[in-house]
Amino acid sequence: MPEPSPGPSGAGQTRRRGAALEEAILRAAVDELAESGLSGFTMDKVAARAGTNKNALYRRWPNRLALAIAAYRRLATAVQPPDTGTLRGDVLEWLRQANRYWSSPQGALLRELLAAAGGATDLLAQLQEQSGAAEPWLTILGRAVARGEASPEALHPRVATVAMVLLRNEFVVRGTPAAPDEVLVEIVDEVYLPLVRVRSAPPS
């Protein structure tokens, strides 16, 4: 059912439907999430900001968490992985960028959403696409393979992303406000690079 679009008093109103209405709701949800955080994010506030009613929201998203995650995915920006010329340099710089992000207000919002998603695997999967996607890590590892620093056997999603999983553990499980740089170096030198070397070693 189309929804009336708010307009100046006395002016004719257009009706939004389909993609136009969904876009208006998502824009309102992004603004509300950025302004109020998850704790203050409600369907009522988003509906009021979008100039529609709650039914229009619930027809598209089953609850406020699902809508908040959709809004967060709009809010998050894609960043290209670094290319320093070495596997160690790339992994360490990518972890440092992630550490800065997870320590930021937007990163705190991501941690709130991950905690709120709990055991909802579909919602967690959407968030993990933002917080630990395999693609940039496979890009980094693929460059290392091309340079001869690793063998193709190392190109496995679980191997590629293990450094990010360990960093995420510092924030989500340990509650760290920001991981010290020595922790990042330890993850790279004591876990990531040895794992890549083991995967790259010829069978005995």
Side-chain angles (χ1 to χ4, degrees):
M1 178 179 178
E3 301 291 338
S5 176
S9 178
Q13 292 185 331
T14 60
R15 287 185 174 272
R16 299 167 299 172
R17 67 182 73 202
L21 179 57
E22 184 166 316
E23 178 64 24
I25 294 169
L26 278 171
R27 283 199 307 268
V30 167
D31 291 343
E32 189 61 38
L33 191 62
E35 183 179 301
S36 304
L38 183 60
S39 60
F41 185 90
T42 68
M43 299 296 248
D44 284 314
K45 288 181 180 179
V46 174
R49 198 183 274 261
T52 186
N53 58 66
K54 284 195 299 183
N55 289 338
L57 278 61
Y58 281 113
R59 281 197 295 271
R60 292 162 173 83
W61 296 276
N63 51 56
R64 79 179 188 106
L65 181 58
L67 177 55
I69 289 173
Y72 174 81
R73 285 164 61 85
R74 278 286 189 95
L75 192 60
T77 54
V79 180
Q80 293 302 310
D83 188 359
T84 66
T86 68
L87 177 58
R88 184 181 188 277
D90 286 354
V91 174
L92 190 53
E93 177 56 29
W94 198 226
L95 280 185
R96 284 170 173 157
Q97 289 184 29
N99 191 38
R100 288 192 293 271
Y101 179 83
W102 279 71
S103 304
S104 71
Q106 197 166 312
L109 179 57
L110 174 58
R111 297 200 303 275
E112 275 191 273
L113 289 167
L114 284 167
T121 54
D122 56 332
L123 297 180
L124 282 172
Q126 293 176 45
L127 288 170
Q128 285 165 355
E129 286 174 22
Q130 305 293 134
S131 65
E135 185 177 349
W137 287 99
L138 287 169
T139 296
I140 288 172
L141 205 46
R143 289 175 186 156
V145 170
R147 288 191 299 262
E149 290 184 272
S151 73
E153 285 73 22
L155 277 171
H156 187 285
R158 290 193 185 277
V159 174
T161 58
V162 70
M164 181 61 83
V165 171
L166 292 173
L167 176 59
R168 192 166 60 202
N169 184 70
E170 294 293 317
F171 285 92
V172 176
V173 177
R174 296 177 184 269
T176 304
D181 198 65
E182 55 264 30
V183 170
L184 308 185
V185 171
E186 186 177 78
I187 288 172
V188 174
D189 290 344
E190 302 300 327
V191 180
Y192 196 84
L193 294 179
L195 178 59
V196 169
R197 290 187 198 109
V198 167
R199 294 281 298 194
S200 299
S204 53

